[in-house]
Amino acid sequence: MAPRTPLTAQEVARIRADFPILARTVRQDRPLVYLDSGATSQKPLCVLDAERDFYLHHNAAVHRGAHQLAEEATDAFESARTRVAKFIGARPADVVFTRNGTEAINLVAYALSNAGAPGALDGADPAAAARLRLGPGDEIVVTEMEHHANLVPWQELARRTGASLRWIGVTDEGHLADPAEVIGPRTRVVAVTHVSNVLGTRTDVAAVVAAARAVGALTVLDACQSVPHFPVDVTELDVDFLVFTGHKLLGPQGIGVLWGRGELLAAMPPFLTGGSMIEMVRMEGSTYAPPPQRFEAGVPMAAQAVGLAAACDYLDRIGMAQVAAHDNALVTHALQRLAERPWVRVLGPTDPADRVGAVSFVVDGVHPHDVGQVLDDAGVAVRTGHHCAWPLHRRLRVPASTRASFHVYTTTAEVDAFVEALDRVPDIFGVSA
Amino acid sequence: MDLYAELIIEHAKRPQHAGLREPFDTETHHLNPSCGDEVTLRVRLDRSGEHPVLADVSYDAMGCSISVAATSVLAEECLGRPVPETLQTYAAMHAMLTSRGQDEGDPEQIGDGVAFAGVSRYPMRVKCALLGWAAYLDALARAGVDIGGAPTDVRALERS
Ligand SMILES: Cc1ncc(COP(=O)(O)O)c(C=O)c1O
């Protein structure tokens, strides 16, 4: 990726004008400083307009009915699929819309256990089918830094299939240990995060894929925190499945994406069943549509898909390389300002080159909830707690942390406002600054 | 900040009657899954009179200043008192905490608990202040005390 110059202050100001919520005040007229984009991003007007336009002019049930509105709604939904596919360098037929990132991961996990049911793989390509079988003696590998969304579904899959769960550890510095030490001949699935939602560290996907490929294991990449911040291309990454979520990508809540290799999706049994995903239904049993429809049971979230496509347009107009450069400038600035404060302990590597989108930290002697409350009082919105990554916090020997996270509308002045608000913490709680 | 009354900071830094003590009748361990705050709490009841009396309450609280201080105030207010009275203190605390700033709290009933009046204006923090109480109610219920059907899960308690 060619490094670009970060966005100028004028460019960020123009971007911010597209997000009216950023101009509001909170807690007694404090200007909002929104540093919780890692939890969910704000949405530009064009995304809201796209959703509204769908409901105003084209609303109908997608893939049902033959009237003109049904045709337009179906067209809008399928065009959105094409647009979102292009954003990650994928074929539209390999892109499945889900309710969120969590559901996309569960879709893969449930398809894998459903694959064990009698007849579930009948007629499937034998090579692909063989990769979907999982049972006692097999291993599923995750990492110790996963979001619960990419951990609990695999614990449950292990329980249902009798496979065992293993994990790649995290070093004291917050880096992933060597994946090759855990991935072995019994490994059938490797599910890892692309970017840690706590540490902001980027996984060496090539190393994981090489180790998994060597033993024929499936690779699942949780890209919820990477796709929003830098260019992601499924062909380059060479994983088998990739998952992300719309609401962290300036898109609406209520939509996630599963991308999968065509031949694997084609062999996979469904997760949710019902209307819209069938080929033929008889009382005795049914056959299922090819992907992606096989995995989209029920009336889909068409307006959200249209909104997500608009978000992809918006980010591509700025340019994802530029978005990445802006993010890196923010992370660099935040790490610098926090390093000036010896009472702040940043979790994970302190080299901004290793970081994407977020900085988590602790103030020893003060609980993150209390840190977050002081920031909130100054209008600064951050995340506090374990950020759905409880095992990682346990590994780093902290009960919880405070996370400041950024997006394309975040300014360095906001980072300054955040650290200045943070300066009240030692005084209020009587710890030495 | 109105949330961090001086009394809260003091109780958080020097929690009263803290530490787990022997002997005890029942012990409970409660946590707030949204943040990972934890409290282990023990009660010992003296049943020689008409009503059981809270002969000892000891605890180990790990969490934010609100949850630690609230457990400390619980111990300070309830230790040595008849259990039915402590349940009245709980009811008054609960009413204040869930009042969204409408109930200032009565110092006659809840003592240092009035310092938590500001918490009710921060709905996300009410669970923090109730965690120790959830553990206390649970410990009483396990000791066979009628707690009037109050739930003992902190999330349910917040909504009760
Ligand atoms: C790394 C990571 N994975 C998965 C998820 C789950 O995404 P969603 O909330 O859309 O289900 C999140 C965010 O919540 C995340 O940060």
Side-chain angles (χ1 to χ4, degrees):
Chain A
M1 175 179 42
R4 293 281 177 88
T5 50
L7 298 165
T8 64
Q10 289 88 332
E11 284 169 322
V12 181
R14 263 201 304 275
I15 288 168
R16 290 176 71 82
D18 297 326
F19 296 80
I21 197 171
L22 297 176
R24 67 162 281 183
T25 56
V26 291
R27 304 273 185 230
Q28 278 128 20
D29 302 329
R30 314 251 186 227
L32 170 67
V33 175
Y34 186 75
L35 299 182
D36 198 17
S37 294
T40 197
S41 68
Q42 299 301 344
K43 292 91 180 66
L45 283 169
C46 64
V47 167
L48 311 184
D49 289 344
E51 281 198 84
R52 182 176 155 90
D53 179 75
F54 175 83
Y55 282 125
L56 275 177
H57 302 296
H58 312 292
N59 181 49
V62 164
H63 291 304
R64 294 183 190 181
H67 53 76
Q68 182 173 339
L69 286 188
E71 206 173 276
E72 288 177 14
T74 304
D75 202 38
F77 183 66
E78 291 305 328
S79 303
R81 191 193 309 280
T82 305
R83 181 64 191 88
V84 171
K86 185 166 159 238
F87 196 71
I88 54 166
R91 293 192 321 150
D94 301 338
V95 167
V96 178
F97 284 128
T98 61
R99 195 159 51 88
N100 50 31
T102 303
E103 187 180 280
I105 295 167
N106 274 280
L107 192 166
V108 178
Y110 274 95
L112 289 176
S113 50
N114 292 345
L121 296 171
D122 286 357
D125 164 47
R131 299 187 66 198
L132 302 176
R133 288 199 185 91
L134 202 64
D138 292 336
E139 290 173 358
I140 301 165
V141 171
V142 294
T143 83
E144 212 174 0
M145 62 165 74
E146 296 311 312
H147 187 282
H148 298 163
N150 199 34
L151 170 58
V152 184
W154 304 115
Q155 292 174 335
E156 284 295 303
L157 176 64
R159 196 179 55 75
R160 290 195 301 272
T161 58
S164 38
L165 186 80
R166 301 193 60 195
W167 53 90
I168 303 165
V170 171
T171 66
D172 287 333
E173 294 73 44
H175 285 296
L176 221 48
D178 182 4
E181 285 186 5
V182 178
I183 297 170
R186 292 169 181 277
T187 309
R188 308 297 300 138
V189 181
V190 181
V192 299
T193 193
H194 198 183
V195 167
S196 159
N197 67 312
V198 178
L199 305 174
T201 45
R202 195 197 293 235
T203 301
D204 180 356
V205 178
V208 173
V209 168
R213 180 66 45 83
V215 296
L218 297 170
T219 47
V220 182
L221 192 66
D222 175 356
C224 287
Q225 296 288 357
S226 59
V227 173
H229 295 295
F230 59 82
V232 167
D233 184 294
V234 293
T235 319
E236 261 171 44
L237 288 168
D238 205 26
V239 291
D240 294 315
F241 298 97
L242 178 140
V243 164
F244 64 98
T245 192
H247 68 91
K248 298 184 203 281
L249 186 67
L250 314 187
Q253 300 190 349
I255 186 153
V257 173
L258 168 68
W259 169 85
R261 273 186 203 284
E263 67 271 22
L264 292 171
L265 290 178
M268 267 160 57
F271 162 39
L272 300 174
T273 55
S276 294
M277 52 74 68
I278 50 88
E279 184 179 61
M280 161 124 65
V281 177
R282 292 205 178 86
M283 286 316 293
E284 295 73 26
S286 307
T287 57
Y288 305 124
Q293 270 75 35
R294 185 187 305 161
F295 305 106
E296 293 178 350
V299 169
M301 55 306 276
Q304 288 93 322
V306 168
L308 180 57
C312 293
D313 281 340
Y314 185 85
L315 284 166
D316 273 343
R317 275 199 298 277
I318 299 168
M320 284 308 289
Q322 193 115 37
V323 170
H326 180 63
D327 178 72
N328 191 253
L330 291 166
V331 168
T332 305
H333 188 65
L335 287 170
Q336 218 162 24
R337 297 297 318 264
L338 290 174
E340 294 160 6
R341 290 155 175 79
W343 42 276
V344 172
R345 186 154 59 88
V346 168
L347 302 181
T350 46
D351 180 352
D354 288 340
R355 290 249 177 194
V356 178
V359 176
S360 297
F361 62 94
V362 293
V363 176
D364 285 315
V366 186
H367 193 279
H369 264 179
D370 295 323
V371 173
Q373 196 79 52
V374 172
L375 295 175
D376 173 64
D377 194 53
V380 180
V382 294
R383 177 84 187 264
T384 58
H386 50 56
H387 322 311
C388 301
W390 214 334
L392 175 62
H393 280 84
R394 219 169 268 131
R395 168 66 186 88
L396 298 174
R397 296 182 198 92
V398 291
S401 63
T402 305
R403 177 183 72 186
S405 57
F406 318 120
H407 218 308
V408 62
Y409 41 71
T410 309
T411 66
T412 46
E414 286 182 302
V415 174
D416 291 336
F418 146 65
V419 290
E420 278 149 30
L422 193 60
D423 283 341
R424 293 177 63 209
V425 166
D427 189 38
I428 292 177
F429 297 100
V431 296
S432 47
Chain B
M1 282 187 72
D2 53 351
L3 181 61
Y4 294 111
E6 198 80 22
L7 267 174
I8 293 186
I9 303 286
E10 269 173 33
H11 275 282
K13 293 192 113 173
R14 277 172 294 276
Q16 302 298 300
H17 313 290
L20 294 169
R21 285 183 292 276
E22 313 258 355
F24 61 95
D25 297 339
T26 55
E27 176 183 291
T28 56
H29 175 78
H30 278 234
L31 61 93
N32 180 351
S34 64
C35 61
D37 284 5
E38 294 181 47
V39 59
T40 306
L41 184 140
R42 293 175 176 178
V43 298
R44 182 161 61 84
L45 303 181
D46 173 355
R47 298 176 189 269
S48 56
E50 184 192 348
H51 293 297
V53 169
L54 185 61
D56 195 18
V57 52
S58 66
Y59 61 93
D60 180 22
M62 192 202 72
C64 67
S65 61
I66 303 292
S67 76
V68 174
T71 309
S72 170
V73 168
L74 182 166
E76 190 169 84
E77 291 302 316
C78 298
L79 188 62
R81 287 174 60 207
V83 168
E85 281 182 25
T86 70
L87 290 174
Q88 281 165 10
T89 300
Y90 159 70
M93 273 302 278
H94 183 274
M96 179 188 75
L97 287 168
T98 54
S99 74
R100 296 245 171 176
Q102 298 306 302
D103 179 349
E104 290 286 299
D106 176 0
E108 295 278 302
Q109 272 187 308
I110 58 175
D112 281 1
V114 291
F116 294 83
V119 176
S120 75
R121 267 178 241 111
Y122 297 90
M124 308 297 275
R125 302 302 296 277
V126 171
K127 273 201 284 291
C128 310
L130 285 174
L131 185 66
W133 287 100
Y136 177 59
L137 292 176
D138 192 13
L140 290 182
R142 285 166 198 255
V145 173
D146 176 8
I147 57 168
T152 55
D153 176 279
V154 69
R155 287 164 294 183
L157 202 59
E158 185 187 14
R159 289 188 296 269
S160 70

